[in-house]
Amino acid sequence: QAHLVESGGGLVQAGGSLRLACTISSEFKLNDMAWYHQAPGKQRALVAVINSGDNTNYANSVKGRFIIFRDNAKSTVYLQMSSLKPEDTGVYYCNTWPSNLMINGRPYWGQGTQVTVSS
């Protein structure tokens, strides 16, 4: 069973926009959620967080450019990305926050979605 399924990535020119979506298993859909970015050759980094009350926080690098929001009826968390920069390139993942999903005692991550921003 896939508990987290990310989608919406693609190739976009600098300055462009993308909307990522993360479909969550219904049992987790009310959890606080986060989007993470893993740039090529780097560790996964926190990008944005949304709690069950729709309060949000962002990494400084994306403030004013990215918006995280959720639709609990669809069990989906979104990341609206605007004014994209080449340094936004990488794989984007969603997960529960602050503690990431543990399934059968193991950390669980989805497959992620690739975002490539060309200059």
Side-chain angles (χ1 to χ4, degrees), residues 2-118:
H3 299 282
L4 301 167
V5 180
E6 300 92 343
S7 62
L11 174 62
V12 63
Q13 287 188 331
S17 298
L18 283 173
R19 178 178 291 185
L20 308 184
C22 168
T23 303
I24 315 159
S25 293
S26 58
E27 62 201 277
F28 305 117
K29 70 176 184 178
L30 298 181
N31 283 43
D32 295 358
M33 295 294 298
W35 281 96
Y36 298 81
H37 170 221
Q38 187 164 21
K42 296 189 177 181
Q43 290 189 332
R44 201 172 286 151
L46 183 67
V47 171
V49 175
I50 185 166
N51 70 12
S52 58
D54 288 342
N55 296 302
T56 58
N57 274 295
Y58 300 91
N60 287 335
S61 59
V62 306
K63 278 182 181 177
R65 299 191 299 122
F66 291 8
I67 299 173
I68 185 171
F69 61 101
R70 65 196 303 165
D71 184 338
N72 290 336
K74 295 182 179 180
S75 299
T76 302
V77 177
Y78 300 93
L79 187 68
Q80 179 67 46
M81 312 166 73
S82 304
S83 302
L84 282 161
K85 304 176 180 180
E87 51 263 44
D88 296 321
T89 292
V91 181
Y92 285 77
Y93 301 89
C94 65
N95 212 314
T96 54
W97 187 89
S99 298
N100 299 141
L101 275 185
M102 295 288 288
I103 303 295
N104 296 326
R106 296 182 177 182
Y108 180 94
W109 290 87
Q111 82 288 349
T113 187
Q114 174 71 44
V115 171
T116 303
V117 184
S118 62

